[in-house]
Amino acid sequence: MKKLFRSGEPFIWLTGGALGGSLIMILGLILLIAVNGLGFFWPSDVALLTLADGSKAMGQIWNREAIPTPGEAERSVEHRLQIHVGNRELYGQDFRWIDEARIERREWPEQTVLLERREWGSFYGFIREVRTEGRAVAQGSSDEAWNAMLPLLDRARALWNEVRALEKGPMGEIYRRQERNRLAVRRVRLRHGSEEEIQRLLKESEAWGDKYRRVSEEIGRLRSEMNRSAVILETAQGETKEIPLSMIVRAIRPNALGVLGKCRVYAQRLWEFASGDPRESNTEGGIFPAIFGTVMMVFIMTLAVVPLGVLAALYLREYAKQGLLVRIVRIAVNNLAGVPSIVFGVFGLGFFIYLIGGSIDRLFFPEALPTPTYGTGGILWASLTLALLTVPVVIVATEEGLAAVPAELRQGSLALGATKFETLRRIVLPSATPGILTGMILAMARAAGEVAPLMITGVVKLAPTLPVDGTFPYLHLERKFMHLGFHIYDVGFQSPNVEAARPMVYATTLLLLVIVVGLNLAAIGLRNRLRRKYHSTAF
Amino acid sequence: MVKIKMPKVQEALAVTPALPPERAAPSPAEGVPPSDFVIRIRNLNLWYDGTPALHDVTLDLPRCKVTAFIGPSGCGKSTLLRCLNRLNDLIDGVRMSGSIHVSGQDIYDPFVDVTELRKRVGMVFQKSNPFPKSIFENVAYGPRIHGVRNRSDLDAIVQKSLERAGLWNEAKDRLNRNALELSGGQQQRLCIARALAVDPEILLMDEPCSALDPVSTAHIEELFFDLKTRYTIVLVTHNMQQAARASDRTAFLLQGRLVEVGSTRDMFTNPRKSETQDYITGRFG
Ligand SMILES: Nc1ncnc2c1ncn2[C@@H]1O[C@H](COP(=O)(O)OP(=O)(O)O)[C@@H](O)[C@H]1O
Ligand SMILES: [Mg+2]
């Protein structure tokens, strides 16, 4: 026994087991998230259930679980189903639990229609009538009615998109112009500028007002056209409901779809999720603004942290006299990486937002006060806060990179008559690039997953605009933004409809993972290319 | 031939002004007129953090000859060599006294431009250290640093340097390949070419062949015969045969002191000091 222990065999098993355990945990985590997140988009069949009391329920079966009987845990053989019944305005909630024992009959009628709506969630029912301008085009739940609805639906969707484009484009532009003009007038007044200037600005505002009236008329026209067609649905229980076609995002008949058709719907929904705007307080629709915000924040953070960290490391390693002081600074920097991130958030709030942002507002945007411009959370301040949080990582990695550059290379350069600066710039820094990039990768990975400090430095639940758009100056660093990590928190814990939002949480988490891994892979690829270039194997 | 611009002062000083009388070499080497000594070391002492490494070294090195420094490991050969291009400046805690004149200029004068000095006094290291760049960029590195921008000038310098280092025929078709793809001996010749590219007067070589195979070593030793027509070479070696084959004069150091210096033939056939005799015949070191 003792001999066996001394041979180290059990130790090998222990180490292997530890590694295996970790791998299984990570794989399990990813699998759980992937299954829950990706399953959400699949248009599964809609069941029509007839219950023992004669009532009916219709919806997608999302879950099946054993009914817990107190005290008799192992003997509970009864199961119940979680049905996504939708029709929120009628039933008040999206889900129903139904005991399997109460179900008399299950049917899968082909005519069942599933509508995804812009408001009120999904609707399950059968078509009773399709109408435009008050008269019926088709009736009954037949294919004919379905086919009559589709072109009308396309038309309504096109109109809706047009309205949306007008609202986001010209309308938004007009709002911003008028706001800018209003502020310009105030600025001129604050500085006791000329009355002519003010008159000119007011005239300009009026011109924009005219434009506003024209655009809003156009929008009104489109809206009324859009609302001309509607569909009347009958639920499983027999209630009828009229739904304007313009309110419908997608209409499908899941039971009538083949596998290929379902795959198409699946791809569409996945694409909508990745590229669309959120609906229904983030529990439906897409998360594109959050993806955009996350990636952009990481990029700004990287742009800020890499130069800062590299310069600091250069001074620390190459120029500072190595001694007690430098050792203390180094230890302090390393420990900075362990400070809870919310502390950095508080610092960002106090320093960047109130102090720096407040000063910028007083100096450059006095006309907008008391409404803050930079003196409130925004993507710039959030990025800089995270840059501060991750700068120790970059410093440490860069220092290691610099230390790994062979002394012979430096001497070779110096012996040719190069100055220390030239040697640093042309020999040392290029050779240390892989190390610097390692620091960058670690910093990006950390920043992409950080949420706490963002919550007080500029992340919001729903941002009306992206930080980049078509209006001058195109890049709006003062704007608030959305973030995947915060989105997960918000949807999962703050939404009014937690049950319905749960799949969104998984899907968003999966996407966050994909983005973090993607950013890392990109950076690692870059590093490997450089490493090949410099033949360095130190990292 | 492309000539890198040299400052006027240096040309003026190249005539070697007379040294102060008390500094005159105690034992001028026979057969060499005094004005032909490019490097004059006087009473050089050096301490690393207070530990003496060189003790009262006084030595003259003649122009366009190969001078070998021999001695057991740790006797201060590399230290003495690094004094000649002030590479010791990089080491913390070095203190020194005495003087070194290169072409008549006191190189430890506070007004000396160290980069200019290092351009005149090139160095090749024990371990070949090509930069992780292309062959071309390695050789062009020095000229670029010293302000040569014109591509055709650079091309000419690179070719000439590689030719002088005996690497041109092997490298001419792969100038843009990474220098680290070359063999060890080729890398060392590349380092020589790189040193030659800034057009130095003096080449310091610190055991340039110690990491090389015999064929590469022979190759580099052959180079010395060509190179010494233009450059003054200082060769540190602990290989006695190499010193005997390749050098014109030999200086023997022991524990930081200069024991004996003279023409290589005399030194190896008829050493004056018994320590030299012992070392050469292999009794220690
Ligand atoms: N950077 C240094 N710091 C402290 N001592 C050194 C350093 N370099 C060399 N020495 C010491 O100086 C002495 C001479 O070294 P060196 O000139 O390298 O000898 P050699 O090249 O003849 O083998 C040795 O005792 C060595 O330990
Ligand atoms: Mg040595």
Side-chain angles (χ1 to χ4, degrees):
Chain A
M1 191 63 212
K2 201 169 169 198
K3 207 162 158 196
L4 178 70
F5 185 76
R6 281 190 56 197
S7 73
E9 196 80 2
F11 188 65
I12 297 174
W13 283 102
L14 192 70
T15 51
L19 179 66
S22 321
L23 284 183
I24 287 172
M25 260 156 60
I26 293 169
L27 271 180
L29 173 97
I30 292 174
L31 214 67
L32 176 88
I33 293 174
V35 166
N36 279 297
L38 291 175
F40 172 55
F41 301 105
W42 185 254
S44 58
D45 285 347
V46 178
L48 175 61
L49 307 175
T50 312
L51 306 186
D53 58 2
S55 71
K56 291 190 173 191
M58 186 159 73
Q60 289 171 329
I61 301 172
W62 277 29
N63 223 335
R64 179 173 184 267
E65 66 174 34
I67 303 170
T69 335
E72 293 181 81
E74 60 270 25
R75 259 196 287 150
S76 67
V77 282
E78 295 286 286
H79 284 82
R80 59 181 183 180
L81 300 177
Q82 186 190 26
I83 315 286
H84 182 243
V85 291
N87 308 10
R88 199 181 299 154
E89 70 270 49
L90 298 176
Y91 307 147
Q93 60 200 27
D94 286 48
F95 293 92
R96 260 183 85 181
W97 287 96
I98 298 177
D99 296 355
E100 275 188 334
R102 288 178 55 217
I103 299 174
E104 295 266 281
R105 203 143 55 96
R106 292 188 199 191
E107 291 165 289
W108 314 88
E110 289 225 329
Q111 292 82 14
T112 316
V113 175
L114 163 55
L115 300 182
E116 289 170 33
R117 298 179 294 175
R118 300 194 198 283
E119 282 164 20
W120 297 105
S122 310
F123 196 96
Y124 296 90
F126 301 101
I127 300 181
R128 274 288 147 264
E129 193 177 301
V130 180
R131 53 166 64 167
T132 35
E133 310 190 28
R135 74 194 153 72
V137 183
Q139 286 185 320
S141 60
S142 59
D143 285 354
E144 191 198 334
W146 170 255
N147 289 333
M149 185 183 73
L150 289 182
L152 292 173
L153 189 58
D154 281 345
R155 174 77 188 133
R157 200 179 297 140
L159 286 170
W160 191 86
N161 284 339
E162 223 171 294
V163 168
R164 183 132 172 102
L166 277 178
E167 279 173 349
K168 275 205 148 176
M171 211 61 173
E173 173 82 11
I174 290 168
Y175 276 133
R176 281 188 288 271
R177 289 298 182 122
Q178 281 188 319
E179 175 67 6
R180 208 187 297 166
N181 259 14
R182 190 182 67 79
L183 291 177
V185 170
R186 274 192 69 181
R187 184 165 50 224
V188 175
R189 291 223 166 102
L190 276 178
R191 290 180 192 156
H192 305 292
S194 67
E195 198 57 35
E196 292 137 54
E197 178 77 5
I198 293 177
Q199 287 310 323
R200 193 184 60 73
L201 287 168
L202 287 180
K203 218 175 233 124
E204 223 171 78
S205 275
E206 248 166 67
W208 283 108
D210 286 346
K211 217 171 192 173
Y212 172 83
R213 272 183 290 285
R214 251 176 293 133
V215 175
S216 55
E217 264 167 36
E218 171 75 3
I219 289 180
R221 195 182 58 72
L222 289 172
R223 265 190 206 287
S224 68
E225 189 185 341
M226 168 172 96
N227 287 331
R228 251 179 252 163
S229 329
V231 60
I232 297 174
L233 294 183
E234 183 184 333
T235 66
Q237 312 244 42
E239 299 110 329
T240 55
K241 170 88 189 155
E242 177 169 344
I243 298 168
L245 290 185
S246 59
M247 293 306 289
I248 297 172
V249 180
R250 182 179 296 110
I252 51 172
R253 293 197 294 178
N255 298 358
L257 283 174
V259 174
L260 221 67
K262 285 193 174 181
C263 285
R264 242 211 347 268
V265 172
Y266 182 82
Q268 278 173 9
R269 293 173 100 178
L270 204 61
W271 173 243
E272 187 205 338
F273 176 68
S275 68
D277 284 336
R279 296 194 306 266
E280 289 290 70
S281 68
N282 294 353
T283 57
E284 284 173 29
I287 53 169
F288 179 72
I291 299 176
F292 191 89
T294 308
V295 172
M296 183 164 166
M297 189 221 41
V298 170
F299 272 121
I300 299 177
M301 189 279 314
T302 310
L303 282 184
V305 77
V306 170
L308 181 67
V310 168
L311 289 178
L314 272 178
Y315 185 79
L316 215 54
R317 169 69 56 180
E318 302 288 337
Y319 288 112
K321 197 163 147 33
Q322 304 296 318
L324 186 68
L325 192 66
V326 164
R327 269 226 302 286
I328 292 173
V329 169
R330 204 167 275 146
I331 291 171
V333 163
N334 286 349
N335 282 328
L336 218 56
V339 172
S341 55
I342 190 71
V343 175
F344 283 96
V346 172
F347 175 79
L349 183 69
F351 180 70
F352 288 129
I353 296 180
Y354 290 155
L355 193 67
I356 299 192
S359 311
I360 291 177
D361 278 358
R362 274 191 298 282
L363 286 175
F364 301 107
F365 304 98
E367 67 277 6
L369 286 173
T371 313
T373 310
Y374 277 93
T376 176
I379 193 164
L380 178 66
W381 300 142
S383 305
L384 290 185
T385 304
L386 284 191
L388 222 56
L389 176 88
T390 50
V391 80
V393 179
V394 179
I395 292 182
V396 170
T398 306
E399 272 211 79
E400 275 168 19
L402 291 173
V405 177
E408 291 94 51
L409 281 190
R410 297 161 191 262
Q411 288 181 6
S413 170
L414 292 169
L416 285 169
T419 61
K420 180 159 186 172
F421 174 66
E422 285 163 337
T423 305
L424 269 184
R425 195 162 66 88
R426 292 172 185 247
I427 304 294
V428 178
L429 265 186
S431 304
T433 313
I436 294 172
L437 287 178
T438 300
M440 187 181 93
I441 291 166
L442 293 174
M444 282 167 70
R446 170 113 202 250
E450 205 56 77
V451 179
L454 301 179
M455 286 164 59
I456 48 178
T457 52
V459 145
V460 285
K461 179 186 168 70
L462 189 68
T465 44
L466 295 177
V468 175
D469 64 18
T471 54
F472 184 80
Y474 311 115
L475 187 65
H476 306 274
L477 292 177
E478 81 284 1
R479 284 192 189 164
K480 299 198 186 298
F481 66 109
M482 291 172 71
H483 184 270
L484 283 172
F486 182 70
H487 199 82
I488 293 168
Y489 167 72
D490 176 62
V491 172
F493 300 97
Q494 306 281 293
S495 86
N497 196 355
V498 175
E499 192 84 30
R502 199 162 50 191
M504 283 291 279
V505 172
Y506 284 116
T508 311
T509 311
L510 187 67
L511 208 85
L512 178 59
L513 270 182
V514 167
I515 283 178
V516 172
V517 171
L519 284 174
N520 274 295
L521 284 183
I524 290 172
L526 182 69
R527 181 181 61 181
N528 286 354
R529 272 195 37 201
L530 285 173
R531 189 188 288 165
R532 262 201 300 289
K533 193 163 156 210
Y534 294 113
H535 271 251
S536 141
T537 50
F539 305 96
Chain B
M1 186 187 112
V2 182
K3 184 112 171 87
I4 298 166
K5 205 178 96 238
M6 285 230 189
K8 284 266 152 49
V9 196
Q10 195 198 324
E11 277 164 22
L13 286 174
V15 197
T16 315
L19 287 163
E22 73 275 14
R23 289 258 169 109
S27 58
E30 52 283 2
V32 186
S35 64
D36 270 6
F37 291 118
V38 202
I39 301 176
R40 306 189 146 209
I41 306 169
R42 290 291 171 276
N43 308 100
L44 186 68
N45 292 284
L46 188 141
W47 297 264
Y48 286 114
D49 285 322
T51 317
L54 291 176
H55 190 82
D56 201 28
V57 174
T58 294
L59 182 62
D60 290 337
L61 305 180
R63 186 185 301 280
C64 292
K65 292 273 185 302
V66 179
T67 305
F69 289 176
I70 60 169
S73 189
C75 67
K77 308 181 292 290
S78 300
T79 303
L80 181 57
L81 203 67
R82 283 200 301 266
C83 288
L84 302 181
N85 66 350
R86 290 188 58 172
L87 220 51
N88 278 333
D89 292 10
L90 306 177
I91 302 169
D92 279 341
V94 169
R95 192 163 63 81
M96 55 176 291
S97 70
S99 73
I100 300 176
H101 286 73
V102 171
S103 295
Q105 183 188 24
D106 180 357
I107 62 169
Y108 281 90
D109 187 286
F111 297 107
V112 162
D113 178 355
V114 179
T115 60
E116 192 56 41
L117 168 75
R118 290 186 186 146
K119 193 180 136 208
R120 279 157 56 200
V121 185
M123 184 159 189
V124 176
F125 295 81
Q126 180 167 3
K127 197 165 154 243
S128 67
N129 57 351
F131 302 134
K133 298 170 183 276
S134 72
I135 295 175
F136 183 91
E137 284 304 320
N138 261 279
V139 183
Y141 183 82
R144 277 195 211 278
I145 290 279
H146 295 289
V148 181
R149 294 267 176 279
N150 187 315
R151 181 71 198 196
S152 60
D153 289 355
L154 281 175
D155 283 342
I157 294 176
V158 167
Q159 172 167 2
K160 186 190 63 184
S161 309
L162 284 171
E163 277 168 358
R164 288 193 182 160
L167 194 61
W168 176 247
N169 286 332
E170 291 149 81
K172 64 170 179 260
D173 299 325
R174 47 202 283 208
L175 288 178
N176 291 317
R177 301 299 296 274
N178 196 306
L180 298 167
E181 292 169 15
L182 295 173
S183 74
Q186 287 172 328
Q187 286 190 10
Q188 195 60 297
R189 274 180 281 147
L190 178 66
C191 292
I192 295 175
R194 189 174 70 187
L196 298 181
V198 293
D199 204 19
E201 299 165 53
I202 299 162
L203 262 188
L204 310 177
M205 304 218 187
D206 193 348
E207 306 191 23
C209 305
S210 66
L212 300 185
D213 59 285
V215 177
S216 305
T217 303
H219 210 127
I220 287 183
E221 280 176 18
E222 277 165 33
L223 268 183
F224 293 155
F225 289 98
D226 294 337
L227 291 177
K228 74 179 179 190
T229 59
R230 284 196 186 79
Y231 309 99
T232 305
I233 296 177
V234 186
L235 171 69
V236 167
T237 177
H238 56 214
N239 178 335
M240 230 61 61
Q241 285 80 23
Q242 183 169 61
R245 280 194 304 265
S247 70
D248 303 301
R249 281 164 59 80
T250 300
F252 173 53
L253 288 127
L254 191 59
Q255 291 177 346
R257 291 168 194 275
L258 178 67
V259 176
E260 186 174 346
V261 57
S263 86
T264 301
R265 200 174 343 105
D266 291 351
M267 190 93 144
F268 279 87
T269 52
N270 188 16
R272 275 171 291 175
K273 298 276 173 60
S274 60
E275 293 103 317
T276 319
Q277 171 84 42
D278 290 347
Y279 182 68
I280 288 169
T281 53
R283 230 169 281 170
F284 65 90

